[in-house]
Amino acid sequence: MKLKWGKKRYTFVIIPDANSSVRRFEVPKLIPYIAGAGLLSLVIVTLFLYVLHARTVMVASNLQTRVYSQDTLYATTVQEKNETIEQLQNEVIKLSKQTSDMKSQIDDIRKLEEEVQTIKGSDKKTASADPASTGKAMGGVMHPATQDEVKDMLEQTRTMLTDMNEEVDNLKNSIVNTKEEALAVQQKQRVTPSIWPVDSRTITSGFGLRQDPFTFRPTYHSGYDISAPLNSKVKVTADGVVQSTGSDSLHGNNIVVSHSDGLRTWYMHLNKINVDKGEKVEKGQVIGLVGSTGRSTGNHLHYEVLKNGVSIDPKPYLK
């Protein structure tokens, strides 16, 4: 017997209550199967959506974790960059301070150099900078400096400044020593009778044996007779102290000045004495005037140099 699904039906009886009439519904036999299949499909779709949602939530969570990690990494990188920039700024400040100190040291050296040049009597001038080297024109292809390059530059600059500090210290000490030596030389020259006592250079009688101008006999002359007009200025030939002043028939008006290293100078036949015994005198100071007092045949200065009390030739001292 062949079944016919399309003609078979299910009858549903609905009884509202005891007093109501019974209601009946007939539906094709295929409808419940279709409803069951639809429900099953709905359950399957719901499960699929749930799984998809769970996966989406997991992916979103992973993405959020990665974003948080990236944010943390970015914040760390920014902090490291800021710390590096701050470190570089501190290095620049230190280098600036060192440069300022270096400039002060260079200024001190220049002052010492000027003092030495003044002591030496040099008129040397500092060479001016080449205009081409001081111009503002510049150019070239721009290549941004890397952090490593900046650090290398700072390290090299720090090393150079350290070396320059040592070199400047050595140079400064050397110039200080040179200055002290120059001052010592200057002081020695100040106390050494090395200038002419009068402007005249006419020597009428030298040091050593000569014919006496009064007796015409051979005699020993202990100094230089330098001819000069009456009242010509007589200058002391070195720093010293007036040891004595006086007048007698042989030396006339005369002055003896004591210097260092056992040296003394003697000025005779003066017309006038301008200093007193015990007075300090400076090289080139006028101490008297030329005359012809004492044993003299005319206006002149008898100039004598004594070493440890012994008269010596003044020639090596006259420049």
Side-chain angles (χ1 to χ4, degrees), residues 107-124:
D107 290 340
D108 292 340
I109 291 176
R110 287 177 178 172
K111 291 179 182 178
L112 286 172
E113 182 182 10
E114 291 175 358
E115 292 177 7
V116 172
Q117 295 295 341
T118 301
I119 292 171
K120 293 171 62 179
S122 172
D123 58 354
K124 181 180 179 181

Side-chain angles (χ1 to χ4, degrees), residues 27-38:
V27 294
K29 189 176 182 180
L30 188 61
I31 293 299
Y33 294 101
I34 294 174

